[in-house]
């Protein structure tokens, strides 16, 4: 072994797949809607379009989601960083997070819970299955509607410019804004002209 080579430490098992999206999930009905920040979320499959969120059963939003079997995933931006953190540390049992975070409700299209007006993209979902996995339960959900912010649509191409939204992610206890583009899908094997 080389003298300056470092040996890796061995840590106990943990969830260190970072960065992850920091999203705010809206749940409940329009008049009694709550918000919860979730970092454990992702795509399950594209056809049918499905995603998941993982939530601790003791969280207030857990019961709202389980009761109605629907929720909306709202992507977050750097401008929403303070609101995103607040929705993760305050409880909806005793705080109106919409007011405290300065966020605005918009009536859902396919679900009874509202989505966040400030979010660049809202994804309305219906729960298909709840998997009790330990500290968190996973809500496997079918995507019912995707609601992009029209201000991010390129008028000429019709392309959704999500990369211009200033999306935020979460890594090991900290929030970050996304950096510069490094490439696009397939660029590593694209033939040069």
């Amino acid at each position: 072994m080389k003298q300056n080579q470092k040996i890796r430490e061995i840590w106990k098992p943990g969830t260190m797949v970072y960065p992850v999206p920091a999203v705010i999930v809206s749940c409940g009905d329009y008049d009694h809607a709550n918000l919860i920040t979730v970092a454990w979320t992702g795509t399950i499959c594209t056809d049918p379009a499905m995603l998941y969120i993982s939530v601790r059963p003791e969280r207030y939003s857990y019961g709202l989601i389980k009761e109605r079997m629907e929720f909306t995933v709202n992507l977050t931006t750097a401008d929403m960083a303070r609101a995103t953190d607040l929705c993760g540390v305050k409880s909806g049992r005793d705080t109106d997070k919409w007011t405290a975070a300065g966020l605005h409700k918009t009536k859902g299209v396919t679900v009874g819970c509202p989505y966040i007006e400030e979010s660049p993209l809202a994804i309305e979902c219906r729960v298909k299955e709840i998997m009790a996995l330990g500290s968190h339960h996973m809500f496997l959900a079918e995507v019912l509607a995707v609601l992009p912010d029209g201000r991010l649509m390129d008028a000429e191409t019709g392309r959704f410019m999500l990369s211009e939204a200033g999306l935020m992610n979460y890594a090991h206890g900290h929030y970050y804004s996304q950096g510069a583009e490094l490439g696009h899908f397939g660029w590593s094997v694209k033939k040069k002209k």
Side-chain angles (χ1 to χ4, degrees):
M1 178 168 37
K2 294 180 184 176
Q3 195 171 15
N4 63 351
Q5 186 176 3
K6 294 184 179 180
I7 299 173
R8 292 181 184 237
E9 294 181 27
I10 300 172
W11 291 357
K12 68 178 183 171
T15 55
M16 295 292 291
V17 179
Y18 290 119
V20 292
V23 303
I24 301 175
V25 173
S26 47
C27 55
D29 62 37
Y30 185 86
D31 293 325
H32 303 97
N34 193 46
L35 300 168
I36 181 175
T37 300
V38 172
W40 294 351
T41 182
T43 301
I44 295 174
C45 64
T46 57
D47 188 18
M50 292 184 72
L51 59 77
Y52 79 92
I53 61 170
S54 291
V55 180
R56 289 180 181 270
E58 59 269 17
R59 297 293 298 263
Y60 177 65
S61 293
Y62 178 92
L64 296 174
I65 296 169
K66 189 172 182 180
E67 177 184 326
R68 297 187 59 89
M69 296 298 278
E70 63 184 21
F71 58 86
T72 299
V73 171
N74 302 273
L75 299 189
T76 61
T77 65
D79 291 341
M80 299 171 67
R82 184 170 292 284
T84 303
D85 186 61
L86 183 142
C87 290
V89 297
K90 291 284 189 180
S91 174
R93 285 185 180 92
D94 44 47
T95 302
D96 174 358
K97 294 185 192 181
W98 293 91
T99 301
L103 298 172
H104 299 91
K105 295 179 188 179
T106 302
K107 187 173 174 36
V109 176
T110 62
V111 295
C113 59
Y115 63 91
I116 300 171
E117 184 179 315
E118 292 81 2
S119 173
L121 186 76
I123 306 167
E124 296 184 340
C125 302
R126 176 175 297 125
V127 176
K128 301 300 269 180
E129 184 179 348
I130 303 169
M131 297 176 67
L133 300 174
S135 65
H136 290 68
H137 291 186
M138 182 186 296
F139 290 91
L140 301 173
E142 178 184 4
V143 174
L144 302 178
V146 178
L147 310 170
D149 184 332
R151 295 170 291 191
L152 292 171
M153 298 300 292
D154 183 300
E156 291 181 21
T157 65
R159 183 172 171 236
F160 182 51
M161 307 298 287
L162 187 58
S163 60
E164 294 182 14
L167 293 176
M168 185 174 68
N169 57 46
Y170 179 82
H172 201 55
H174 300 272
Y175 302 99
Y176 299 92
S177 59
Q178 288 188 334
E181 179 181 341
L182 302 174
H184 60 82
F185 182 78
W187 69 276
S188 66
V189 296
K190 187 176 180 181
K191 293 185 177 164
K192 295 180 181 178
K193 293 182 181 180

